[in-house]
Amino acid sequence: MSAPLSLGNLGVRFGAAAAVDGVSLDLVRGEIFGIVGESGSGKSTLANAAMGLLPAAATVSGSISINGREVVGLGDDALRQMRGNEAAMIFQDPSASLDPTWPVGDQIAETIRAHRPVGAREAKARAIALMAEVGIPEPAARYNDVPHHFSGGQRQRIVIAAALANNPQLLIADEPTTALDVTIQAQVLQLIDRLRRDHGTTVLLITHDLGVVSMVCDRVGVMYGGKLLEIGETQDLIARPTHAYTRALLAANPASSPRGTRLPVIPAEWSVESLEAAELSARTEAAHG
Ligand SMILES: Nc1ncnc2c1ncn2[C@@H]1O[C@H](COP(=O)(O)OP(=O)(O)O)[C@@H](O)[C@H]1O
Ligand SMILES: [Mg+2]
């Protein structure tokens, strides 16, 4: 079976600048794959490229396939059909995904009816069931409430319900818990984990936070300067990072207490090359006593 998401030497440029630079990656069905990297490393650009959501200024090279179908070059209608149906995306700020003036239940029901020929009553029943599944108490009574009647964590749950409305095989979550406090963050991550177990959804989880990665990701890729430096099973990568940059991240985030820790901002003058050079000279010094 083809991979839920496969990237082949993906490049995304904005003018002369490469935001994503030669990324190749195959997701395994049913896994949560984390992409971790500091701000500006190209994580959102990669995610948006996969969903066909890049601005017109972006130039894409290489290939992106979802369930074996090439996405690069697809027209707007085909992309719209793909989004929500085969792949769905959630963002850091749930309010940006919800219409503030519209009952949340109707927004979920509308997502269903955009892709399925179902009647209003059936869509409403399914929306209420989805609200229950993501942990909104008394979902039937809350169906007609507008977004500001919910807490930030509940709003993100509602966005997740809408994203899952049509059983997409791939869910891309770009910093889905960054705006939430630590306790709520853990609950939303547990929800994502439970949903992928129940539905077999493959999840690409983007974060700058190694604590998030260690909580739910099966595998992780470390991104820096548009490149995927290193990919591994989460526990292996934390225990035995092979790349100097990954070691620098981990050194600043003790693996013994990764929860809630954040990636340090690596100073701009710390290029990957300079990190490797510094490591090499430290090793050489150690070798020569
Ligand atoms: N619409 C855009 N136009 C120009 N440059 C962009 C645009 N979006 C992102 N970039 C650039 O691409 C790089 C990666 O950004 P982004 O993917 O948002 O990183 P991350 O999500 O890891 O913080 C940055 O240098 C950013 O300035
Ligand atoms: Mg981002």
Side-chain angles (χ1 to χ4, degrees):
M1 222 200 293
S2 42
L5 175 66
S6 179
L7 307 177
N9 198 23
L10 177 66
V12 181
R13 310 187 73 84
F14 293 100
V20 174
D21 190 0
V23 170
S24 294
L25 175 65
D26 284 300
L27 297 196
V28 176
R29 203 162 290 279
E31 75 174 334
I32 301 185
F33 189 99
I35 289 190
V36 68
E38 68 193 83
S39 177
S41 57
K43 306 180 301 294
S44 293
T45 302
L46 185 153
N48 292 333
M51 295 296 291
L53 289 173
L54 287 172
T59 317
V60 180
S61 58
S63 89
I64 302 166
S65 79
I66 291 181
N67 294 320
R69 182 160 69 136
E70 183 59 43
V71 172
V72 176
L74 274 189
D76 287 348
D77 284 348
L79 282 173
R80 250 194 306 278
Q81 191 56 34
M82 182 275 288
R83 282 195 294 271
N85 220 2
E86 285 179 74
M89 187 157 174
I90 61 178
F91 300 92
Q92 175 171 337
D93 177 7
S95 303
S97 307
L98 296 169
D99 183 329
T101 64
W102 220 26
V104 296
D106 282 341
Q107 297 189 49
I108 300 170
E110 183 57 31
T111 309
I112 299 166
R113 298 190 71 187
H115 291 278
R116 299 271 182 279
V118 298
R121 188 191 292 265
E122 190 184 337
K124 179 171 183 177
R126 169 131 175 84
I128 291 170
L130 282 160
M131 288 169 71
E133 187 174 11
V134 298
I136 304 293
E138 300 187 68
R142 305 301 308 274
Y143 184 95
N144 283 314
D145 286 345
V146 295
H148 78 259
H149 286 131
F150 295 86
S151 68
Q154 285 178 325
R155 280 199 288 271
Q156 195 61 295
R157 288 170 187 271
I158 286 161
V159 170
I160 292 169
L164 295 176
N166 296 296
N167 285 316
Q169 295 179 43
L170 175 67
L171 177 67
I172 298 182
D174 188 358
E175 307 266 8
T177 60
T178 301
L180 306 175
D181 78 43
V182 175
T183 315
I184 306 299
Q185 163 173 294
Q187 291 170 2
V188 170
L189 291 172
Q190 281 161 11
L191 170 67
I192 291 173
D193 191 30
R194 177 167 62 74
L195 291 170
R196 73 81 189 241
R197 283 176 203 284
D198 291 351
H199 299 279
T201 317
T202 308
V203 182
L204 184 67
L205 179 62
I206 288 168
T207 179
H208 63 277
D209 186 337
L210 273 172
V212 166
V213 168
S214 71
M215 263 187 266
V216 291
C217 295
D218 302 303
R219 289 197 299 154
V220 57
V222 178
M223 203 160 174
Y224 179 87
K227 292 190 164 72
L228 213 45
L229 297 183
E230 179 170 4
I231 295 177
E233 304 277 329
T234 302
Q235 296 318 321
D236 286 353
L237 186 129
I238 287 173
R240 286 178 294 280
T242 61
H243 206 285
Y245 178 72
T246 311
R247 282 194 287 275
L249 292 185
L250 288 164
N253 293 266
S256 54
S257 58
R259 260 162 213 253
T261 56
R262 298 196 158 208
L263 290 191
V265 176
I266 305 283
E269 64 271 21
W270 285 30
S271 68
V272 165
E273 292 73 19
S274 74
L275 277 173
E276 280 172 342
E279 267 207 346
L280 187 63
S281 72
R283 254 183 267 144
T284 311
E285 269 171 41
H288 293 282

